[in-house]
Amino acid sequence: MESRVLSSGTTTISGIPTLTKPTGRINTVAVSSPARLNLNNTNGANLVWGRQLRPSLLNLDHSSPVLKTIKRDAIKPCSATASDSTGDAAPVGFLAKYPFLVTGFFFFMWYFLNVIFNILNKKIYNYFPYPYFVSVIHLAVGVVYCLGSWTVGLPKRAPIDSNLLKLLIPVAFCHALGHVTSNVSFAAVAVSFTHTIKALEPFFNAAASQFILGQSIPITLWLSLAPVVIGVSMASLTELSFNWVGFISAMISNISFTYRSIYSKKAMTDMDSTNLYAYISIIALVFCLPPAIILEGPQLLKHGFSDAIAKVGLTKFVSDLFWVGMFYHLYNQLATNTLERVAPLTHAVGNVLKRVFVIGFSIIVFGNKISTQTAIGTSIAIAGVALYSLIKAKIEEEKRGLKSA
């Protein structure tokens, strides 16, 4: 959150604006930082980069050569508003004094919810192997949560028009396809193996940027992806739970999320990330319903529901479905909130570590046996993703630095 203080009492000398000391109470104008929605099938990948409109604080002639030399950083953010006309500063709260504690809490909850989601999701598939229906539950619980939040005004629902709806439909479709195919993979193979395959997502993103969007990808980024491809290949060759359904589904998920990223850039909007995520979830739910009904509906009515209830009981079955949906929604929302609090480089490192946590905990909880080659291949792939994320984040920071200079 950025606050800037400008005096309304300005004088000009030879056409050059000069800021003068205000004589009365100082009013601050709070301007939201650009919203970025991070959403990942199950790993929190970026969905939409929103743009918050910044209100004009003062009508200045920005074409003036003198103003162009003034650095934006010269105006420092205010730590507190004036409490009275004498200028006494308001007391700083504990969390405001130690913001790193809040950021650390966001990282912890992001990791915790993601790990719990992956473990509970796989446990459900062990007694209820219907990934299309479970994918619908993930989105449906999140949609109900968003509708409830809108009802109480936390947050207030942002209006949506037909133009924005048309832009969000391709994003939501790719999100739905990627989400469903990820769950098909989770149901078919070990959680650790699916996450290892999904480590290839940066490779597909780079390829799409280079050959579809026509963007130039530095050679350093391409080289950093080599260990990812090699590591995934090594892990796949000796994975004990390998099957083609799980492997192909995870690859389709990678491609779907890549196209989601492409369409997201075309759907840039001024809407806040929470409302945007809610609308995308609603549209994605509409896309997920037909295949779930057509492909799994008859089996569910015939014996799917009855078998699951016989194994774990009705209460546990309903409870598991509810909580896995809540964890899915909340960990994606926490990923978004975390991204808004830290630099891209920090978030990139955190995203890689999150994948390591998920793979490690899934192996421990489910007791998955992995070969030495699979372990080495997974480690190489994760290291490659970390290298790629670090290089890309630094490149993005350099670009933003040049634009703001």
Side-chain angles (χ1 to χ4, degrees):
M1 191 69 67
E2 180 183 16
S3 300
R4 297 181 183 275
V5 178
L6 292 178
S7 169
S8 59
T10 61
T11 60
T12 58
I13 301 177
S14 300
I16 302 176
T18 305
L19 299 179
T20 61
K21 182 177 180 180
T23 57
R25 180 176 177 137
I26 297 175
N27 294 320
T28 61
V29 181
V31 182
S32 298
S33 58
R36 294 170 289 182
L37 180 59
N38 186 325
L39 190 280
N40 188 337
N41 51 359
T42 52
N43 63 19
N46 287 340
L47 179 58
V48 175
W49 286 65
R51 296 177 295 177
Q52 298 284 8
L53 294 179
R54 293 176 178 266
S56 176
L57 302 182
L58 193 62
N59 251 344
L60 297 179
D61 182 9
H62 292 279
S63 62
S64 170
V66 176
L67 285 180
K68 288 183 178 180
T69 62
I70 300 177
K71 297 293 185 182
R72 296 174 68 184
D73 292 339
I75 305 177
K76 300 296 183 182
C78 296
S79 59
T81 60
S83 60
D84 51 38
S85 58
T86 61
D88 295 335
V92 179
F94 178 79
L95 295 180
K97 189 175 181 181
Y98 301 100
F100 67 91
L101 293 178
V102 180
T103 302
F105 173 77
F106 274 93
F107 267 102
F108 170 78
M109 291 304 298
W110 176 25
Y111 285 20
F112 173 76
L113 292 173
N114 192 278
V115 170
I116 296 300
F117 163 76
N118 278 275
I119 292 174
L120 180 57
N121 202 45
K122 184 61 178 180
K123 285 185 175 181
I124 291 174
Y125 288 135
N126 287 339
Y127 69 83
F128 187 68
Y130 297 94
Y132 289 90
F133 178 79
V134 174
S135 297
V136 168
I137 294 298
H138 292 164
L139 294 171
V141 173
V143 167
V144 173
Y145 177 90
C146 292
L147 294 176
S149 299
W150 280 341
T151 301
V152 298
L154 297 172
K156 183 178 180 181
R157 187 182 71 85
I160 185 172
D161 55 27
S162 58
N163 292 328
L164 179 57
L165 182 61
K166 291 177 181 178
L167 291 174
L168 292 183
I169 286 176
V171 178
F173 174 78
C174 293
H175 174 60
L177 180 59
H179 179 57
V180 169
T181 50
S182 293
N183 279 283
V184 172
S185 181
F186 284 132
V189 297
V191 173
S192 58
F193 182 54
T194 298
H195 277 280
T196 301
I197 300 172
K198 291 182 70 61
L200 281 173
E201 190 174 328
F203 174 82
F204 287 96
N205 286 335
S209 299
Q210 179 86 51
F211 302 111
I212 297 179
L213 298 180
Q215 299 175 356
S216 178
I217 303 298
I219 187 64
T220 51
L221 274 182
W222 283 114
L223 291 176
S224 68
L225 289 170
V228 180
V229 177
I230 294 173
V232 171
S233 300
M234 289 179 60
S236 301
L237 290 174
T238 56
E239 170 60 37
L240 300 178
S241 68
F242 179 89
N243 66 57
W244 284 107
V245 173
F247 179 82
I248 294 175
S249 296
M251 294 295 283
I252 293 175
S253 174
N254 285 335
I255 297 173
S256 299
F257 286 123
T258 296
Y259 275 94
R260 183 187 66 181
S261 177
I262 293 174
Y263 286 118
S264 296
K265 294 177 182 178
K266 298 179 181 179
M268 295 181 71
T269 174
D270 300 317
M271 187 183 295
D272 66 279
S273 61
T274 302
N275 275 289
L276 200 60
Y277 179 34
Y279 282 120
I280 289 173
S281 297
I282 293 172
I283 301 171
L285 176 60
V286 174
F287 283 122
C288 288
L289 277 171
I293 295 173
I294 295 172
L295 297 177
E296 296 180 344
Q299 300 177 52
L300 288 171
L301 294 176
K302 186 177 181 180
H303 57 78
F305 290 127
S306 58
D307 289 350
I309 294 172
K311 291 177 181 177
V312 299
L314 178 61
T315 302
K316 179 173 175 54
F317 178 51
V318 174
S319 175
D320 283 351
L321 291 178
F322 170 77
W323 284 113
V324 77
M326 282 298 297
F327 288 136
Y328 172 78
H329 179 85
L330 292 176
Y331 100 73
N332 277 294
Q333 192 62 60
L334 262 294
T336 302
N337 296 336
T338 305
L339 177 59
E340 292 177 344
R341 296 187 62 87
V342 299
L345 181 60
T346 305
H347 194 268
V349 174
N351 203 35
V352 173
L353 292 177
K354 180 214 67 176
R355 191 181 296 277
V356 174
F357 270 83
V358 172
I359 292 176
F361 274 98
S362 66
I363 292 174
I364 295 173
V365 171
F366 297 107
N368 297 331
K369 295 182 179 180
I370 59 174
S371 66
T372 302
Q373 182 173 323
T374 297
I376 295 175
T378 301
S379 301
I380 293 175
I382 295 299
V385 172
L387 181 61
Y388 170 86
S389 301
L390 291 172
I391 295 175
K392 186 178 180 183
K394 287 183 178 179
I395 292 174
E396 292 298 327
E397 287 183 350
E398 290 174 359
K399 287 181 180 179
R400 279 192 291 273
L402 291 175
K403 289 181 180 180
S404 62

